[in-house]
Amino acid sequence: MDSPRCFFSRVSLFSKAGLLTWHSRKPPGWSQLFLGSACKGNFTHVISKKCQKGSKSPKKASHLGPLDGSWKERLADVVTPLWRLSYEEQLKVKFEAQKKILQRLESYLQKFNGVKVTTAAPKLKGLCCLLHPIIPSPVIDGYRNKSTFSVNRGPDGNPKTVGYYLGTWRDRNVVCVRSNHLKNIPEKHSQVAQYYEILLRQSPMEPCLLFHEGGHWRELTVRTNSQGHTMAIITFHPQELRQEELGVQKETVKEFFTKGPGAVCDLTSLYFQESTMTRCSHQQSPYQLLSGEPHLFEDLLGLKIRISPDSFFQVNTAGAEMLYRTIGDLTGVNSNTVLLDICCGTGVIGLFLAQYASQVLGIEVVKQAVEDAKWTSAFNGITNCQFHAGRAEKILPQLLKSKGDGQLIVAVANPARAGLHYLVVQAIRNCRAIRTLVFVSCKPHGETTRNIIELCCPLNPAKKLLGEPFVLRQAVPVDLFPHTPHCELVLLFTR
């Protein structure tokens, strides 16, 4: 799943009317409201409509006022829309939502492809496959191991406020609200954000609110592991500063967090990244280690996992273990199969299942993550894994050609929200050796829906989809994101 900042500033949740004018009171009939309407997929619209019926959101926030309880609740309602419900009720909401998604998927398959997806397994009425009960998260509060905090004007107008966004850039009413009250963020992350704000307010350098307006201080990313070790990554826009001036700022940051007030955060790793873009990879702009260790390490599924600043790792560590075990159960890998791990991140899925497979082949676009996977493989004595750095659409077709059709391949795909590239879907579909595919998605609509349609549609020479179509057999929702409407949906396809 993407960082919170991406969720706050880009998805359509922020474009709905009434978002900035919610009441702080708990509306009546909350659980019934969600259970009846959540499957429509627009949680924020439901909340805002219930809380402030008939109200209109101002295009500009002319008066913001102090940071009181209402601002906190508004932020909580955006970031964690289900926070008012008991966890049991949240799971009911999510299960109903996933059921609706699968029903909609079957209708798409029938409409666009004339496909009737069937399975011999027992299923709920109207579903194209067997839908298992949702697997709950072992940790409900403070579960995030990675948080990204923005810098902008707070409700009091101070531009050096560290938190999460409310409002939209289009309406010019963005407000940055401190997020220490949010249920999904651990205290350690909030503590580092608090001291980053202190650093900014002590600094004579201005924040970078808009690139073309100048300024320097940008977002903060905090990563933690289950042992309590903490990595902080500070993003800084260099603008026209000389290298000597940048050196002074880096030394200021290091001094603050190692010997100054920020030392209370007890950081394991402190990184500094000079970035002139919204998001930079390590290759585009290297992460510079100011102090501490270069990596975090996590114990998961009997493995010691290495995590770099740029590497993808599921944000809920305890929930990730449930997710990976579920994936393993569905793959059915054995000593006669090759496991193909597409968009593998730090390689955890493949490394966990390597003990059962004859070989594991992983593909990941982030080079640092691939280096982490290789380190983890060597450290844990795993010798049957190969990891390839690059875009899956470039690597996968050649990799499958090299394997031929002689050995059975089980594929696992865990792409970002944008789904799989068309050439990846084409390669999977046309490889006769792939009889089983496990597809993992935290956003099972949009491009992911297109991926599934192309995997399951009849042969289509015009689109170069020449292989036997897949059939969707089972679906397992796994909750990695308590208090939010999201969960991971694990889909099993066979042919």
Side-chain angles (χ1 to χ4, degrees):
M1 178 119 183
D2 289 342
S3 68
R5 184 176 185 274
C6 292
F7 174 73
F8 308 142
S9 59
R10 291 191 174 91
V11 298
S12 60
L13 292 177
F14 284 97
S15 63
K16 301 301 179 183
L19 188 60
L20 292 178
T21 54
W22 289 336
H23 282 307
S24 60
R25 297 190 300 272
K26 178 179 178 181
W30 195 261
S31 60
Q32 288 79 3
L33 164 69
F34 269 117
L35 290 173
S37 306
C39 345
K40 296 179 181 178
N42 192 345
F43 294 89
T44 308
H45 175 69
V46 171
I47 299 171
S48 61
K49 183 177 179 182
K50 185 73 176 179
C51 294
Q52 190 70 298
K53 189 174 182 180
S55 67
K56 293 185 178 179
S57 176
K59 290 212 168 181
K60 286 190 179 182
S62 58
H63 175 69
L64 300 179
L67 180 60
D68 56 16
S70 64
W71 280 105
K72 292 182 177 182
E73 292 204 1
R74 292 172 206 173
L75 184 63
D77 285 335
V78 172
V79 181
T80 51
L82 305 186
W83 70 277
R84 302 175 189 268
L85 301 180
S86 69
Y87 189 52
E88 182 180 353
E89 289 177 303
Q90 292 183 32
L91 293 177
K92 291 178 182 177
V93 168
K94 296 188 181 195
F95 182 79
E96 290 299 316
Q98 300 308 305
K99 185 165 68 173
K100 284 289 184 181
I101 287 169
L102 291 170
Q103 289 171 338
R104 192 181 305 124
L105 178 59
E106 182 174 56
S107 71
Y108 286 150
L109 290 171
Q110 293 181 21
K111 177 180 178 181
F112 294 115
N113 301 312
V115 176
K116 177 63 178 179
V117 183
T118 59
T119 174
K123 54 187 178 179
L124 296 174
K125 183 178 179 181
L127 290 188
C128 57
C129 65
L130 172 63
L131 175 59
H132 292 269
I134 188 168
I135 298 176
S137 172
V139 180
I140 299 172
D141 295 332
Y143 57 83
R144 292 194 66 92
N145 56 43
K146 180 181 179 181
S147 301
T148 301
F149 302 91
S150 299
V151 177
N152 215 295
R153 291 182 179 85
D156 61 356
N158 193 318
K160 293 183 176 181
T161 300
V162 178
Y164 288 167
Y165 287 155
L166 280 175
T168 65
W169 293 108
R170 181 189 63 192
D171 293 334
R172 299 180 182 180
N173 59 6
V174 168
V175 183
C176 192
V177 180
R178 293 172 187 156
S179 51
N180 56 306
H181 61 290
L182 296 179
K183 287 190 172 184
N184 61 345
I185 297 181
E187 291 182 6
K188 173 58 75 172
H189 293 201
S190 297
Q191 181 192 45
V192 179
Q194 174 189 352
Y195 279 92
Y196 183 51
E197 183 177 281
I198 293 172
L199 169 65
L200 265 57
R201 294 189 177 190
Q202 289 179 356
S203 170
M205 310 296 285
E206 293 300 319
C208 179
L209 308 185
L210 294 172
F211 287 1
H212 67 276
E213 292 183 355
H216 303 279
W217 298 112
R218 293 184 54 207
E219 66 189 26
L220 164 75
T221 298
V222 183
R223 305 189 78 152
T224 47
N225 64 9
S226 55
Q227 291 78 41
H229 301 152
T230 306
M231 175 186 292
I233 307 164
I234 291 172
T235 308
F236 188 90
H237 197 306
Q239 301 292 356
E240 303 299 327
L241 293 181
R242 300 188 304 274
Q243 283 302 313
E244 311 88 79
E245 295 171 307
L246 285 169
V248 170
Q249 297 308 312
K250 286 184 275 190
E251 188 60 34
T252 298
V253 170
K254 178 180 177 181
E255 185 77 12
F256 180 88
F257 279 105
T258 57
K259 300 177 181 178
V264 69
C265 297
D266 192 24
L267 297 180
T268 308
S269 308
L270 176 60
Y271 275 96
F272 187 92
Q273 186 186 39
E274 301 165 26
S275 175
T276 59
M277 296 182 287
T278 301
R279 188 76 60 182
C280 281
S281 67
H282 178 70
Q283 283 69 40
Q284 293 167 320
S285 180
Y287 292 93
Q288 303 170 47
L289 182 65
L290 300 186
S291 69
E293 302 297 323
H295 307 98
L296 290 182
F297 297 90
E298 187 60 84
D299 296 321
L300 188 69
L301 298 165
L303 302 171
K304 188 181 183 69
I305 310 295
R306 193 179 84 172
I307 304 171
S308 295
D310 208 19
S311 298
F312 172 78
F313 190 79
Q314 289 286 355
V315 299
N316 181 337
T317 304
E321 182 159 346
M322 307 298 291
L323 175 67
Y324 297 150
R325 290 190 185 280
T326 300
I327 294 170
D329 291 341
L330 292 176
T331 60
V333 293
N334 56 48
S335 58
N336 297 317
T337 58
V338 172
L339 178 68
L340 180 61
D341 192 358
I342 305 168
C343 308
C344 67
T346 52
V348 181
I349 296 173
L351 291 165
F352 168 54
L353 296 178
Q355 58 189 311
Y356 308 109
S358 65
Q359 186 182 25
V360 172
L361 302 173
I363 304 173
E364 169 59 38
V365 69
V366 178
K367 187 176 180 180
Q368 272 195 315
V370 171
E371 294 302 317
D372 288 340
K374 291 178 178 179
W375 182 94
T376 299
S377 177
F379 181 86
N380 292 277
I382 301 171
T383 58
N384 62 338
C385 291
Q386 295 179 11
F387 295 98
H388 303 265
R391 295 189 176 279
E393 61 268 25
K394 293 184 178 180
I395 295 175
L396 182 60
Q398 297 303 317
L399 195 60
L400 291 177
K401 284 181 182 179
S402 69
K403 297 304 296 182
D405 294 329
Q407 194 167 17
L408 193 63
I409 300 175
V410 174
V412 175
N414 185 14
R417 288 186 176 184
L420 292 173
H421 191 280
Y422 172 72
L423 292 177
V424 176
V425 175
Q426 187 183 97
I428 294 172
R429 176 72 187 263
N430 296 342
C431 179
R432 289 181 294 177
I434 301 178
R435 311 299 299 174
T436 300
L437 168 66
V438 177
F439 196 112
V440 185
S441 177
C442 64
K443 186 183 178 183
H445 44 83
E447 191 61 32
T448 298
T449 297
R450 181 180 298 182
N451 290 163
I452 294 171
I453 290 172
E454 290 167 348
L455 287 166
C456 299
C457 71
L459 273 64
N460 189 331
K463 292 186 175 181
K464 299 182 180 179
L465 298 173
L466 307 176
E468 180 185 352
F470 283 90
V471 177
L472 176 56
R473 300 294 186 182
Q474 299 183 49
V476 187
V478 184
D479 186 22
L480 266 64
F481 318 104
H483 310 300
T484 81
H486 308 292
C487 68
E488 297 281 358
L489 186 61
V490 186
L491 302 171
L492 171 65
F493 297 87
T494 63
R495 60 178 178 178

